Amino acid sequence: MTAPVSYARSGDVNIAYQVTGEGQLDLVLVPGFFSHLEIDWEHPEHARFLERLASFSRLIRFDKRGTGLSDRAVGLPDFETRMDDVRAVMDAVGSEQAALFGYSEGGPMCVLFAAAYPERARALVLYGTYAKRTRSDDYPWAPTWEERVAAAHELEETWGENVDLSTMIPDADPATASWFQRRGRAALSPSAARDLILMNSKADVREALPAVQCPTLVLHRVGDRDSRVDEGRFIASRIPGARFVELTGDEHVPFVRMEEILAEVEECLTGVRPVADGRRVLATILFTDLVGSTVRARELGDATWASLLQRHHDAVRRQLSLYGGEEVDTAGDGFLALFDGPARAIRCGLAVREALRSLGLDVRVGVHTGEVERTDERPRGIAVHLAARVMAAAGAGEVLVTQTTHDLVEGSGLELADRGVFELKGIERARRLYEAC
């Protein structure tokens, strides 16, 4: 990240903003609960999300008042005040008209801005957001006021470790979890997190929805745990001409499994759907993860655990080399690898299990064969997501494979026991899994 952070004056408050990209279209990204203009770039996936948006726009980002690098001691601002901050940032960068992309908490702000300043809103994109934050008879999907108050005080008491990660990014890998927690601590103090939750709880932009005049795209994941998919449908049904796109998965943030989101956004804003610049190949994906590693690390102490973890890495890499696997990623105590043959992937998983048992370590392994996109060094696509969920379903010492992979290794001599049908998080339909013996 090389773009400087600047400040716009909104009333008596300084709003930190940053501009990247040189596209013809101005795009204002309004973040959710919290953001941090500098730390946002430190996670590879989030950085790629921002780079992709900036590839077809002049991307304008800011930290909302009270968060990130903006002024922090600002009291309890309402949505109208925060909407004025959007206008102040646009004025500071000389943007007369822009598309607005708001996700989660940023959605109501964008709705209000588009309705109040139609001449300045070129288009509106909403992801994983809501029209009202507390439940009522005519809006039954939101939590009650009492539940929101309880959540606000729980966050204040546990802030630093609890940044609502289980709702924002279910099943986040250790590296993502660590970054997200650090981003939360840097963006908000405990009391500010509490106040922000309480302020958000008063949001109700239902009356503003019919006043939105610009082209609107509403995106929502079916398994979103923060804002229900019915809320996305509600919003789209009340904005004239809005297009609603329902996505699989349960991630609340837009920068995880982002390709479909970005394709829809780019097509909406430019009229052209991007053509994937990578190559799609059939591969067998293998995920590994140590079982009980947190407890083991606590028992052994940092130095001893670090030494054992290095031996774990060496053992896994030795088996990957023997069975022709390509190491793609290593996060903490897990591996992601690709194979050009499903039988080799399964045999490698079994060999990894035995090698780690000799070190006193239990591992779970998930294997799936499917099409992946090699847009960069890390493969992407639903097949990768599915393989990770298969691994998560495995128990200690288990090597689980999907029906697809099972069918491809018939006659190979591998023994695969039917484990039945599993409901996997974020996967649209149940899958039959088999255990390699």
Side-chain angles (χ1 to χ4, degrees):
M1 188 274 293
T2 57
V5 172
S6 303
Y7 288 87
R9 193 76 171 173
S10 181
D12 295 329
V13 176
N14 296 293
I15 305 297
Y17 70 87
Q18 186 181 63
V19 179
T20 54
E22 299 178 350
Q24 297 292 318
L25 164 78
D26 280 354
L27 174 59
V28 177
L29 180 65
V30 183
F33 187 17
F34 53 77
S35 63
H36 193 290
L37 290 176
E38 293 178 337
I39 295 176
D40 282 356
W41 290 98
E42 295 179 6
H43 187 268
E45 289 295 277
H46 195 280
R48 195 169 72 84
F49 173 71
L50 300 178
E51 288 165 354
R52 281 280 284 107
L53 291 175
S55 70
F56 60 85
S57 73
R58 182 172 72 138
L59 179 63
I60 304 164
R61 301 166 49 241
F62 66 98
D63 287 334
K64 299 189 298 292
R65 61 171 60 206
T67 73
L69 297 177
S70 293
D71 282 350
R72 302 291 281 270
V74 295
L76 196 60
D78 56 24
F79 274 94
E80 184 175 356
T81 303
R82 287 180 169 237
M83 178 185 67
D84 290 341
D85 295 344
V86 176
R87 183 176 55 179
V89 170
M90 287 180 63
D91 289 344
V93 302
S95 177
E96 295 183 0
Q97 187 182 60
L100 303 169
F101 181 176
Y103 64 91
S104 188
E105 173 199 316
M109 290 172 59
C110 289
V111 168
L112 286 176
F113 188 92
Y117 304 105
E119 73 284 357
R120 304 199 69 172
R122 173 174 177 169
L124 178 62
V125 176
L126 303 171
Y127 169 84
T129 192
Y130 49 85
K132 187 174 185 288
R133 206 44 170 158
T134 55
R135 187 179 307 165
S136 60
D137 291 342
D138 55 352
Y139 198 88
W141 312 287
T144 65
W145 170 255
E146 291 75 18
E147 288 171 336
R148 291 291 293 174
V149 171
H153 289 291
E154 180 183 357
L155 275 180
E156 180 182 19
E157 292 172 0
T158 60
W159 193 250
E161 295 181 5
N162 175 18
V163 291
D164 212 13
L165 181 67
S166 63
T167 302
M168 301 294 107
I169 317 175
D171 304 313
D173 61 66
T176 298
S178 177
W179 165 78
F180 197 75
Q181 289 165 343
R182 191 167 73 83
R183 179 177 179 246
R185 291 191 297 268
L188 286 168
S189 68
S191 61
R194 176 204 62 211
D195 289 347
L196 190 52
I197 289 289
L198 294 176
M199 187 278 288
N200 294 341
S201 300
K202 299 177 181 178
D204 186 351
V205 298
R206 290 177 297 170
E207 295 301 319
L209 295 173
V212 174
Q213 302 175 29
C214 60
T216 300
L217 171 66
V218 182
L219 303 157
H220 217 108
R221 294 200 186 277
V222 294
D224 194 321
R225 302 179 185 185
D226 183 87
S227 304
R228 306 303 176 187
V229 68
D230 290 310
E231 298 183 77
R233 296 189 187 111
F234 177 93
I235 292 170
S237 70
R238 283 158 176 77
I239 295 178
R243 178 168 175 257
F244 180 67
V245 177
E246 191 171 293
L247 307 168
T248 61
D250 57 5
E251 297 88 356
H252 182 60
V253 298
F255 48 84
V256 176
R257 294 201 302 123
M258 69 187 85
E259 293 304 329
E260 188 175 7
I261 295 170
L262 291 169
E264 294 287 353
V265 172
E266 184 169 354
E267 183 177 16
C268 172
L269 299 183
T270 68
V272 178
R273 194 172 185 90
V275 177
D277 58 3
R279 58 188 179 94
R280 300 190 69 83
V281 298
L282 185 70
T284 299
I285 306 122
L286 176 144
F287 274 95
T288 74
D289 179 53
L290 284 181
V291 178
S293 58
T294 302
V295 174
R296 193 71 185 279
R298 190 183 304 118
E299 293 172 346
L300 295 176
D302 291 344
T304 303
W305 173 248
S307 175
L308 182 58
L309 194 59
Q310 184 58 55
R311 293 171 66 193
H312 157 269
H313 284 23
D314 293 342
V316 174
R317 288 181 173 129
R318 189 176 306 115
Q319 300 308 319
L320 291 177
S321 177
L322 288 173
Y323 288 92
E326 174 193 353
E327 179 186 335
V328 175
D329 192 19
T330 307
D333 52 16
F335 276 78
L336 163 60
L338 295 185
F339 294 77
D340 58 10
R344 281 193 293 277
I346 295 173
R347 291 192 170 100
C348 182
L350 293 169
V352 165
R353 179 183 68 183
E354 297 310 311
L356 296 183
R357 276 179 176 169
S358 68
L359 298 177
L361 298 172
D362 281 325
V363 69
R364 56 174 141 243
V365 180
V367 181
H368 172 60
T369 305
E371 191 178 49
V372 301
E373 184 177 351
R374 302 301 301 267
T375 55
D376 49 28
E377 290 303 313
R378 184 181 174 92
R380 306 184 188 283
I382 188 61
V384 179
H385 185 63
L386 176 53
R389 293 298 189 258
V390 172
M391 181 270 291
E398 290 183 339
V399 179
L400 293 187
V401 308
T402 59
Q403 177 84 55
T404 304
T405 305
H406 166 273
D407 294 347
L408 289 171
V409 297
E410 285 284 0
S412 65
L414 286 164
E415 294 184 21
L416 300 174
D418 189 343
R419 288 286 306 280
V421 176
F422 286 68
E423 296 283 348
L424 304 174
K425 291 182 179 180
I427 303 301
E428 189 171 359
R429 59 182 175 84
R431 305 292 176 128
R432 185 171 295 278
L433 302 183
Y434 295 81
E435 182 180 359
C437 305

